[in-house]
Amino acid sequence: MSIQLPKLFESRMQRWLGDEYEDFMGSYERPRHAGIRVNTLKIGLEDFKAASPFELKPIPWCETGFYVDENERPGKHPFYHTGLYYIQEPSAMEPAEALNPEPGDRVLDLCAAPGGKSTQIAAKLRGQGVLVTNDISAERTKALAKNIEMSGVRNAVVLNETPDRIAEKFPAYFDKILIDAPCSGEGMFRKDPDAVRQWEKHSVDVCTVMQRDILDTVASMLAPGGRIVYSTCTFSPEENEAMIALFLARHPEFVVGELKHSPLFSPGRPEWVAGLAQSGGWLSPLLEQEARRGEPGFTRPEALAQTARAARIWPHLAEGEGHFVCVLEHTGEKAAPAEGAAGTASGPIIGAGEVLPAASEGGRKGGGPKGKGRQESRFAAAPRREDKSARQARGRQKDAYIREEASEDDVRRACLQFLSEQVTVPIFGTLLISGDYAYACPVEPERLRGLKVRRSGFQLGMVKAGGRFVPSNALAAALSPRESARSLNLSSSLPEAVSYLKGETLTFGEERVERGEGTDAKGYVLVCIDGYSAGWGKWAAGVLKNEYPAGWRWNG
């Protein structure tokens, strides 16, 4: 066997699995399974199947998930950079499926980095409702924010906070909460050899304390009648069934909900927890402390029995790594949403007293439809145009000076001016200015005050030297060609697509720039690959200046 498993782990699994043990151990001899999940925010499922450069095999528990050959390197195709799919371990797709978010829901993904489950939730929300996605690691939130933005998500806030701090700002706020809990990672031994080394450092002991505290805190953030999904990538019953039973004993207002089992999933194993307590077997210090209390909550029959409704994914039974998934339902009565309330299909999301203006789509050269005249801004009037000498003078100033001197109103006006000229659809949210950056925030901004925020919402862009508004790549990734005043389409079958993704300057004639009737070809252009947005460019005199961000570029 290429993986050296801990002897204690092997003995525990042999005792629990019995006759299944040999099949389980045989799974470590087989190759791992690679998967991608289609991002339906940007492309329809059937359209992706027709355009896919890979051979696709459906993942049974996720309609938008497919097995692919890892040797085909799905991260090295232009479609990956346009956000058409996310590379995700197949079993990891199940927790968001169990959460089942619906358009209009307020959802929290608490332990979210690098963002696979968050982007899956966002696709199910379809741009309606609120997604708050968080990770306690500041470094990991960088990848989280990038994946949210590359996927074209418009209604997400990215936090870098502890559960306690979020709970202070969002009491009883969320309809659905996903806890992909920090765990000992036993299910990842085949995928990540480092997980073996971490397990040998007694991470089960550490994780049970974190898991208990996270579950207790999250309960206060859930609205009555809401749903929590608790998931781990470990086999340890201390971190799975025992945690759920302990939570139920401490929170009688919750029950384990029904989970639509794939035939490839197995039920939870409450008898393993009971067996551990009865036999004096290894328990984490947290559970040992519970046991010494005489009536440990994690072994109460009425609570423990419910854990059989959870699902276990075993690598010898399903084509995926080990996972545990449990649905927790709040038994309180769910409040009916008010007419036109935030997160409903009938009105804009929270804080939308300000709806960002949209330019008309207009007729597009190359056969696009014609539209009505440009809409008026619902904010202050756009700033007057400066004469050429004034613009040049402002452009010579240092970025640092502009950042110091630009007021909130300057950023606001520059943002609204750009959107009114460039974007042909409304963008919903509260226009929130943070430093030089403008965001469409999907929650009441006061909820974010005092929190460590990586992204305050849908990042629209920033003001740079000379008062210039520079649109964000997040804005580009969320738009379709018809939603931008100018667009340019590249072919994934030609070198031009990869050249753009590498950050190279390209040359194109004016006829390649699709645009509204009467719109000059010069200016910001939404660059698309096979019709799907990737980023911005600035076209002038036959040259496309590349605006694709350095941190996103093709490095193959």
Side-chain angles (χ1 to χ4, degrees):
M1 180 182 294
S2 58
I3 302 173
Q4 188 64 44
L5 297 173
K7 294 300 182 185
L8 179 57
F9 171 76
E10 290 185 4
S11 65
R12 279 159 58 91
M13 299 310 299
Q14 186 171 20
R15 174 158 51 93
W16 292 330
L17 287 174
D19 294 342
E20 290 186 61
Y21 177 70
E22 292 302 324
D23 288 342
F24 170 75
M25 294 299 288
S27 69
Y28 290 95
E29 302 288 354
R30 297 192 290 271
R32 65 187 185 184
H33 300 282
I36 63 172
R37 181 179 39 76
V38 179
N39 177 18
T40 52
L41 283 177
K42 298 200 72 170
I43 186 172
L45 189 56
E46 295 305 316
D47 289 338
F48 181 81
K49 289 178 182 179
S52 173
F54 318 116
E55 183 178 348
L56 303 175
K57 175 185 173 183
I59 294 173
W61 50 87
C62 179
E63 182 184 12
T64 56
F66 297 91
Y67 295 104
V68 295
D69 185 345
E70 199 169 24
N71 294 325
E72 293 192 55
R73 304 176 73 197
K76 297 297 182 182
H77 192 281
F79 285 174
Y80 172 77
H81 291 266
T82 58
L84 298 193
Y85 57 83
Y86 186 92
I87 300 170
Q88 192 171 17
E89 195 280 312
S91 295
M93 300 178 190
E94 171 58 20
E97 293 298 311
L99 190 67
N100 192 30
E102 298 174 319
D105 281 343
R106 297 170 171 178
V107 184
L108 169 65
D109 186 358
L110 186 66
C111 312
K117 297 176 182 67
S118 286
T119 56
Q120 189 174 357
I121 291 167
K124 290 179 178 294
L125 291 176
R126 301 205 298 264
Q128 300 176 49
V130 176
L131 171 61
V132 175
T133 180
N134 173 75
D135 202 272
I136 198 169
S137 166
E139 184 64 28
R140 284 167 57 82
T141 58
K142 296 177 184 178
L144 174 59
K146 176 184 174 181
N147 285 320
I148 286 287
E149 293 171 354
M150 185 181 289
S151 297
V153 180
R154 304 187 189 196
N155 57 332
V157 170
V158 182
L159 301 181
N160 168 217
E161 268 298 353
T162 64
D164 288 345
R165 295 282 294 129
I166 299 173
E168 291 173 7
K169 299 289 187 174
F170 292 90
Y173 179 86
F174 296 103
D175 302 301
K176 290 168 184 172
I177 300 176
L178 178 61
I179 308 171
D180 189 31
C183 69
S184 60
E186 294 172 351
M188 295 293 108
F189 285 176
R190 180 170 62 168
K191 180 181 177 182
D192 180 11
D194 188 58
V196 176
R197 292 186 288 272
Q198 293 298 321
W199 189 89
E200 292 178 317
K201 296 178 181 178
H202 307 293
S203 63
V204 174
D205 296 349
V206 175
C207 290
T208 52
V209 176
M210 290 192 292
Q211 292 155 358
R212 187 270 315 268
D213 292 346
I214 288 172
L215 277 163
D216 282 349
T217 302
V218 161
S220 70
M221 289 188 261
L222 191 72
R227 171 183 299 168
I228 296 170
V229 167
Y230 174 86
S231 71
T232 72
C233 55
T234 192
F235 305 117
S236 163
E238 293 92 337
E239 302 174 70
N240 295 327
E241 290 88 352
M243 281 298 102
I244 297 302
L246 179 60
F247 175 79
L248 295 174
R250 295 162 66 91
H251 298 274
E253 70 275 19
F254 283 87
V255 297
V256 176
E258 294 295 334
L259 184 60
K260 184 180 179 181
H261 285 287
S262 163
L264 301 172
F265 297 171
S266 299
R269 303 298 293 264
E271 69 275 15
W272 289 0
V273 177
L276 280 172
Q278 293 165 7
S279 67
W282 177 37
L283 288 172
S284 70
L286 170 68
L287 297 182
E288 287 178 348
Q289 183 182 26
E290 276 283 311
R292 287 195 296 269
R293 292 165 59 182
E295 188 185 350
F298 69 94
T299 61
R300 290 181 184 176
E302 68 277 12
L304 194 54
Q306 292 187 51
T307 65
R309 298 181 200 150
R312 281 180 170 270
I313 305 176
W314 294 97
H316 63 291
L317 299 177
E319 293 181 342
E321 306 304 321
H323 257 70
F324 174 87
V325 182
C326 184
V327 174
L328 295 163
E329 300 279 8
H330 191 283
T331 56
E333 185 174 353
K334 185 175 182 179
E339 184 178 353
T344 65
S346 59
I349 58 177
I350 293 173
E354 301 169 328
V355 179
L356 308 189
S360 68
E361 185 171 331
R364 299 177 63 81
K365 294 190 177 181
K370 293 185 177 181
K372 296 180 180 179
R374 180 166 294 160
Q375 298 177 8
E376 292 294 324
S377 169
R378 293 173 61 179
F379 290 98
R384 295 178 181 177
R385 293 186 180 273
E386 298 175 299
D387 61 36
K388 185 175 180 180
S389 61
R391 290 197 303 272
Q392 290 174 339
R394 284 176 60 83
R396 287 192 293 269
Q397 298 181 61
K398 298 289 186 182
D399 279 2
Y401 174 77
I402 291 297
R403 282 195 292 270
E404 181 180 343
E405 295 298 324
S407 69
E408 183 173 318
D409 284 344
D410 291 336
V411 180
R412 178 183 295 270
R413 282 193 294 267
C415 175
L416 296 176
Q417 176 78 21
F418 179 86
L419 292 174
S420 68
E421 295 175 351
Q422 184 73 35
V423 179
T424 65
V425 291
I427 295 174
F428 295 97
T430 298
L431 181 57
L432 179 63
I433 308 303
S434 179
D436 293 340
Y437 288 88
Y439 297 86
C441 182
V443 303
E444 302 99 323
E446 56 266 24
R447 291 188 185 273
L448 303 181
R449 293 194 182 106
L451 296 179
K452 289 184 284 185
V453 181
R454 171 66 67 175
R455 292 288 186 271
S456 299
F458 180 25
Q459 190 182 83
L460 304 172
M462 69 175 296
V463 168
K464 296 191 78 172
R468 295 181 299 112
F469 186 79
V470 178
S472 71
N473 221 69
L475 177 60
L479 298 175
S480 70
R482 291 183 178 276
E483 294 173 335
S484 175
R486 302 176 194 84
S487 65
L488 185 148
N489 192 45
L490 308 178
S491 173
S492 66
S493 62
L494 298 176
E496 61 185 18
V498 173
S499 294
Y500 173 76
L501 295 171
K502 287 183 175 180
E504 297 172 4
T505 298
L506 304 176
T507 56
F508 294 106
E510 180 177 337
E511 71 281 357
R512 290 281 302 268
V513 180
E514 295 281 335
R515 58 198 188 276
E517 186 175 330
T519 300
D520 193 340
K522 182 180 179 180
Y524 275 100
V525 175
L526 183 69
V527 180
C528 304
I529 298 174
D530 292 354
Y532 300 100
S533 59
W536 295 110
K538 288 184 77 174
W539 187 92
V543 176
L544 183 77
K545 180 183 175 184
N546 200 313
E547 298 285 324
Y548 197 64
W552 292 32
R553 288 177 186 170
W554 183 292
N555 58 9

